[in-house]
Structure formats: C-alpha cells, structure tokens
Amino acid sequence: MKRREFLKKAAVTTAAAGAVLSGTLLTSCSNNKKEESKQEAPNVITKKTYQWKMVTTWPPHFPVFGESAEFIAKWVEKMSEGRLKIQVYGGGELVPPLQSFDAVSQGQAEMGHACAYYWAGKAPATQFFGAVPFGLNSQQMTSWILAGDGHKLWSELYSNFNLVPFLVGTCGVQMGGWFNKEINSINDVKGLKMRIPGLGGKVIAKAGGTAVLSAGGEIYTNLERGVIDATEWVGPYHDYKMGFYKVAKYYYYPGWHEPGTAIEMFVNKSAYEKLPTDLKEIIKYAAQSSAAWMLSEFEAKNNFYLQKLIKEHNVKLKKFPTDVLKTFKKYTDEVLDEITAKDPMSKKVYENYKAFQKNIVDWDKISEFAYLSFQYS
C-alpha cells in the first residue's frame, strides 16, 4: 500500500517536473526565437519625403521646354521611389514667368526652369550661360559646361543668389527670326523693334534697333498688334507651333545671336543642401538626361517643320546678307568688350569661355567642319 502510494506520488511529481521542464524549454525556445527574430529582422528606416515646386518661364505644357521640366519631375520621382515629388508650374501659374529667378532664390519655390540670359538685369555674367552671339554651338556649349570650367563658374555666380544651376538642354543653331520687313542692309535694322533677349538684344540696339524682352507666351500677340516688328524664338518646330507664320512675312537665318542656346534649371541652394546625397545625384542625372533628350528632339523635328512652313504656308525663307552678319559680329565684339570692362565676373567668365572656344574651334576645323564641308559641297 505504502509502495503504491509512493509510486503514485512519484509519478505525479515526475509529471509536474516534466511539465515545468517542458514549459521552461518551450518558454526558452520561444524567447530564443524572439531573439533570433529580432536579430534577423532588417532595420526598417522611414526615409523623409519632399514635396517641391518648380516654376518656369514657359507657357504651361509648352513643347520641348515645358516638356523638359515635366520629364525631370517624372524622372526624379521614379528614381527616388516617390521620396522627391516636384509639381511643375507654367509661367504665370504660380509666379509671372520673368519672376521665376527671384521666386526660387527667395524660397517661394524650390526649382526653376528657364534660360540664363533672362537674368542679365540681376548679373550681366548670366548671359554667357544662355547664348553668346557668334559663340559656342550646342555641342561646344555642352562641352564647356559639363567638361570644361563652365559649370564651376556658373555655380560661383549663382551662389550669390542662393541658387545651384544645372544644364538641362540646348537648342542647336537657332533661326534668325521672323520679320515684317526685309533686311537687305544694316540700315534696315534702324528703328526696328525686335523681341530679342540677352547679348543679341544689345547688338540690335547698337545697330539702331530696339530690343524688347518678353516671355514666350506674349510674343505672338505683340507681333500681331505691332508692338514689335520682329521676333526671334527658337527654330522651325517651335516657331510652327507658335504660329508666327500667320503674323510675319519673312523667316531669316542663320541664328547668329544664339548658335547654341543653353536651357537651365536652377535650385534653391538652401533646400538643395538639405537633401540626402542620393537625391542630389538623382536631380543631377535627371538634368543630364534632359540635356541629351532636348537637342535630340529639336534635331529630329526642325527640318520636318521647316518644310511644312515653306510648302504649306508659303513662308519666305531668307538668309541675312553677309555684310549684315559681319556688322553684327563687329557690334558683338564691342558689346562684349563693354560688358567685360564694367563687370569683373563677366570678364572672368568670358575669358574662360573664349579660351575654350578657340581651343575647340581649332579641333572642329579638322573634324566637324571638314566633314560637313565635303558632305554638303
């Protein structure tokens, strides 16, 4: 009896001990799994997102230029996986077109999209990063900015305005413009009211004309109403879309005033410096992608639309007389001498620009020019 009681108690005790041990093992195992889970789980870091605004000098959804701004916004959002979203505003939608520079400088918007020569009133040296009459063509301008000292000098200049600049495209050699009277000699420029910005405008003024600066969206109406007698814009593709053939008689070439116009994006420096490194790089490479696309777009479409202007709308295509071009070149040299004599930054930039041009032109004479001379002879 005692033996049975003893065995019974022993069995209960053993069972209890087993249960305790089992529970302990299970608890330990569970805790080990939790520890392992903690160790194996990846560190999930919530990355900050940014909502930015880009203001432009172009009409909303404007072909090529406006598209460039919209493409950049789309590419940046995709590459950043939504961490940086950019809302693009056409000229006048958030700020007037020619107030874009101030809006970004002061932080009203984080980004702008324009052409640097619009800001000559802020700093004369800005014009060298837009277009120089008889200066670098698109290929050369891109080389100076991206592979020469252009971007370094541009950044130095824009840092005074709390801005960081980026090249986002070039236009190729532009057309000379739309005129309501023929230009047979330099005397025909006297009294001419022409929409033409930058250094080219100063050349027209020196020739006795009046240079008018207006945003793209205002040009057609000004030409139609006689506020201006002539206008330059870009080339056949854009000019066709703008409808200038409806309000001007003569279409002149070549674009002596803008042989390789650069289009810019500028970013508020304070906002830019707060971005993580990867987002800064994404902005940089989105800008370079736009630069490659823009010139390709113009080159692909300009001749097609030139033929439409000539064949469908009977546009009179005319070449500037050689003596007119020579006089424009003479006045260009005078304008550049005057600007660089008065403004140290302009002198610094132009000396570098000119040295780069001399070096690259010597190469072009035995490469591009020699090839094209044979090809089109």
Side-chain angles (χ1 to χ4, degrees):
M1 182 69 181
K2 288 181 180 180
R3 184 172 177 272
R4 283 200 300 269
E5 288 295 323
F6 173 78
L7 291 174
K8 185 176 178 182
K9 287 179 181 179
V12 171
T13 302
T14 300
V20 171
L21 179 60
S22 176
T24 301
L25 289 172
L26 287 171
T27 302
S28 176
C29 183
S30 176
N31 288 338
N32 286 339
K33 285 182 178 179
K34 287 179 182 178
E35 288 300 320
E36 287 174 8
S37 177
K38 286 180 183 178
Q39 291 173 4
E40 292 173 3
N43 292 323
V44 178
I45 300 173
T46 303
K47 294 185 177 181
K48 186 176 179 179
T49 59
Y50 301 82
Q51 297 278 348
W52 277 16
K53 297 185 286 291
M54 183 193 292
V55 291
T56 79
T57 55
W58 325 116
H61 313 296
F62 196 62
V64 188
F65 297 151
E67 287 177 295
S68 163
E70 291 166 358
F71 283 158
I72 288 169
K74 181 178 71 174
W75 294 335
V76 167
E77 183 173 348
K78 282 187 175 181
M79 286 190 284
S80 69
E81 296 184 325
R83 289 164 54 216
L84 176 52
K85 295 182 179 181
I86 303 165
Q87 176 65 49
V88 177
Y89 295 89
E93 289 188 325
L94 187 62
V95 298
L98 298 181
Q99 290 182 21
S100 300
F101 190 91
D102 287 340
V104 179
S105 176
Q106 296 164 10
Q108 188 176 349
E110 290 81 9
M111 309 175 86
H113 197 287
C115 185
Y117 54 42
Y118 288 149
W119 324 125
K122 306 288 180 184
T126 59
Q127 298 168 102
F128 295 101
F129 302 101
V132 176
F134 304 98
L136 299 172
N137 64 21
S138 281
Q139 185 172 318
Q140 296 163 349
M141 189 71 165
T142 300
S143 297
W144 177 59
I145 292 174
L146 298 184
D149 293 327
H151 191 263
K152 180 177 71 175
L153 291 165
W154 201 1
S155 297
E156 179 184 343
L157 175 63
Y158 272 35
S159 66
N160 297 322
F161 300 95
N162 191 35
L163 297 172
V164 179
F166 295 91
L167 175 71
V168 295
T170 54
C171 307
V173 179
Q174 295 195 4
M175 288 293 287
W178 295 85
F179 293 74
N180 272 320
K181 72 171 185 176
E182 292 187 76
I183 306 298
N184 295 313
S185 74
I186 199 66
N187 290 329
D188 292 319
V189 180
K190 292 178 181 178
L192 185 80
K193 293 175 293 185
M194 183 174 183
R195 185 272 178 193
I196 179 170
L199 297 167
K202 292 179 174 61
V203 172
I204 291 295
K206 192 171 277 289
T210 300
V212 178
L213 178 60
S214 59
E218 303 167 359
I219 300 173
Y220 183 96
T221 302
N222 287 346
L223 196 58
E224 183 180 37
R225 293 177 179 175
V227 175
I228 54 176
D229 306 308
T231 184
E232 61 77 50
W233 184 229
V234 184
Y237 175 43
H238 257 180
D239 294 357
Y240 180 89
K241 295 288 187 180
M242 295 285 275
F244 294 143
Y245 60 88
K246 300 174 185 176
V247 287
K249 297 178 181 178
Y250 307 106
Y251 198 24
Y252 273 87
Y253 72 97
W256 59 272
H257 62 301
E258 298 195 31
T261 312
I263 304 301
E264 66 175 358
M265 178 175 71
F266 44 92
V267 181
N268 179 277
K269 189 175 182 182
S270 300
Y272 183 74
E273 289 178 345
K274 292 176 183 177
L275 292 176
T277 302
D278 65 327
L279 292 186
K280 290 178 183 176
E281 288 297 301
I282 284 171
I283 290 173
K284 174 182 174 182
Y285 285 101
Q288 290 189 8
S289 294
S290 172
W293 169 80
M294 186 180 291
L295 181 58
S296 301
E297 183 75 351
F298 277 122
E299 289 294 290
K301 291 185 175 177
N302 272 336
N303 188 61
F304 175 80
Y305 281 92
L306 178 63
Q307 298 309 314
K308 285 177 72 71
L309 287 167
I310 295 170
K311 295 174 182 178
E312 296 178 14
H313 301 286
N314 301 312
V315 166
K316 296 176 182 177
L317 191 64
K318 300 185 73 69
K319 186 178 181 180
F320 284 117
T322 300
D323 65 325
V324 170
L325 291 174
K326 286 181 177 179
T327 306
F328 283 159
K329 177 67 169 67
K330 173 179 172 288
Y331 288 152
T332 294
D333 293 339
E334 292 177 10
V335 165
L336 292 171
D337 286 343
E338 291 166 4
I339 290 173
T340 55
K342 295 176 183 176
D343 180 51
M345 188 62 186
S346 290
K347 182 178 180 181
K348 180 179 180 179
V349 172
Y350 184 55
E351 284 180 350
N352 188 278
Y353 179 104
K354 189 163 55 174
F356 188 89
Q357 183 179 21
K358 183 181 184 307
N359 180 62
I360 204 166
V361 164
D362 286 345
W363 162 242
D364 277 356
K365 286 177 183 176
I366 63 168
S367 58
E368 301 285 339
F369 181 76
Y371 170 73
L372 292 174
S373 295
F374 171 77
Q375 183 78 353
Y376 301 126
S377 62

